[in-house]
Amino acid sequence: MIEHRKLRVALLGAGSVGSQVANLLLTHREELAERSGAELELAGIAVRDVDAPRDVELPRELLTTDAESLIVGSDIVIELMGGIEPARSYVLAALTSGADVVTGNKALLATHGAEIFDAADQVGASVSYEAAVAAAIPIIRPLKDSLAGDRIQRIFGIVNGSTNFILDKMDREGLSAQEAQQLATDLGYLEADPTLDLEGYDAAQKAAILASLAFHTKISMDDVHREGISNVTAEMIEGARKAGSVVKLLAICERLEEDGEESISVRVYPALIGRDHPLASVHGGNNAVFVEAAAAGPLMFYGAGAGGVQTASAVLGDVVSAARRHIAGG
Ligand code: HSE
């Protein structure tokens, strides 16, 4: 067996995504080592409560409430706690210590992205966040790398799985808004604070991240027009159906040009989509993102937009890339 260099990995958070990431790191050890060229040693998992029930059973000796000590000396820090603080402080501490950071925290990036990327640049560390937008769907790397030579004109699509689930249940099963929302709650689809999903904040955070990447400029939450689905009624859904349409919560990021002046518009709102449009066929918790680039033309990205193990796939991809970077850097 090949002897691989060891990299110390710290995981912050063991919620639905974090626990799946820990499980994959532990059970796919050899495969991950072969692919990344490094043995990814999970040094510990920082949690608020070591006794809390988890989606996946994790070795108790890895759980700690002391995130600060865990971060010290780590090569890669995976932040999956969500929210702004203490996630922001931990990410900055990790970067300052020279660790590469992998995060799925869209709220953090949409509000403190500039500060975090500056901190990373100063020490030559990386911040990867494929899991922050559209969960399992590879969309960050295509925008950052694959389309880096093209000019993106427009991105639009469905980037919030729980509201899509609710609207879909109302449309296809005739549920009321309240019934559909209750079902989404029972299935654990909504964020801990459901207004993040229902009022479009989650989609707006993702739109800000996508627009910043696509248009090579800083788009903050203040730049995003946001409207959620809380005013969408069963009557509206029924009216849309009769008109051959379906209501979807859309995120739209586009370059606009007027009188030779270019501006960027980013907006999230419930929109009517014709039933023959591919977005009308995005059901349940799935997401779909269309990218229109000058040379590439239209591209479509589709798949699971939420879910613990699905999102963990995107996190692991970033971890392997960060490990390869470490190995290449010596
Ligand atoms: N609350 C989010 C959604 C989870 O419903 O899409 C995935 O980011």
Side-chain angles (χ1 to χ4, degrees), residues 47-262:
V47 293
R48 260 195 302 259
D49 174 5
V50 292
D51 295 315
R54 319 213 175 271
D55 290 2
V56 184
E57 207 176 315
L58 300 172
R60 203 184 160 87
E61 65 275 15
L62 287 181
L63 300 176
T64 174
T65 53
D66 185 359
E68 278 103 343
S69 303
L70 182 61
I71 290 168
V72 176
S74 291
D75 299 296
I76 299 171
V77 174
I78 308 171
E79 185 277 307
L80 296 169
M81 311 172 73
I84 307 299
E85 284 295 351
R88 172 183 158 274
S89 302
Y90 292 158
V91 163
L92 290 173
L95 291 170
T96 308
S97 75
D100 285 318
V101 166
V102 175
T103 178
N105 193 332
K106 58 228 160 186
L108 182 63
L109 294 174
T111 51
H112 290 83
E115 180 187 26
I116 287 166
F117 293 120
D118 281 353
D121 285 347
Q122 274 175 26
V123 293
S126 68
V127 180
S128 319
Y129 49 99
E130 188 60 72
V133 180
I137 305 172
I139 185 67
I140 299 298
R141 196 163 293 131
L143 291 177
K144 207 160 142 184
D145 296 330
S146 321
L147 292 164
D150 209 332
R151 182 179 164 85
I152 295 171
Q153 313 280 17
R154 194 164 178 242
I155 298 179
F156 68 104
I158 296 165
V159 293
N160 182 270
S162 49
T163 50
N164 195 61
F165 173 87
I166 291 170
L167 294 173
D168 197 39
K169 283 281 167 194
M170 291 169 76
D171 178 55
R172 297 209 296 167
E173 294 177 27
L175 264 55
S176 69
Q178 210 179 359
E179 287 165 341
Q181 192 179 316
Q182 188 57 52
L183 190 55
T185 306
D186 294 346
L187 291 168
Y189 285 1
L190 289 158
E191 297 280 331
D193 173 1
T195 55
L196 292 175
D197 291 312
L198 300 174
E199 299 299 342
Y201 290 99
D202 176 273
Q205 288 161 355
K206 292 166 177 166
I209 293 171
L210 292 178
S212 299
L213 263 181
F215 305 131
H216 309 282
T217 184
K218 180 69 202 117
I219 304 289
S220 76
M221 283 294 281
D222 293 339
D223 303 315
V224 184
H225 165 86
R226 175 194 52 78
E227 211 184 311
I229 64 160
S230 54
N231 293 326
V232 177
T233 61
E235 290 70 35
M236 286 179 194
I237 300 269
E238 179 60 21
R241 187 183 309 115
K242 285 185 180 146
S245 300
V246 59
V247 179
K248 294 287 187 190
L249 185 69
L250 289 194
I252 302 175
C253 319
E254 60 187 344
R255 290 183 201 268
L256 300 175
E257 214 178 299
E258 206 178 330
D259 302 330
E261 285 286 308
E262 192 181 274

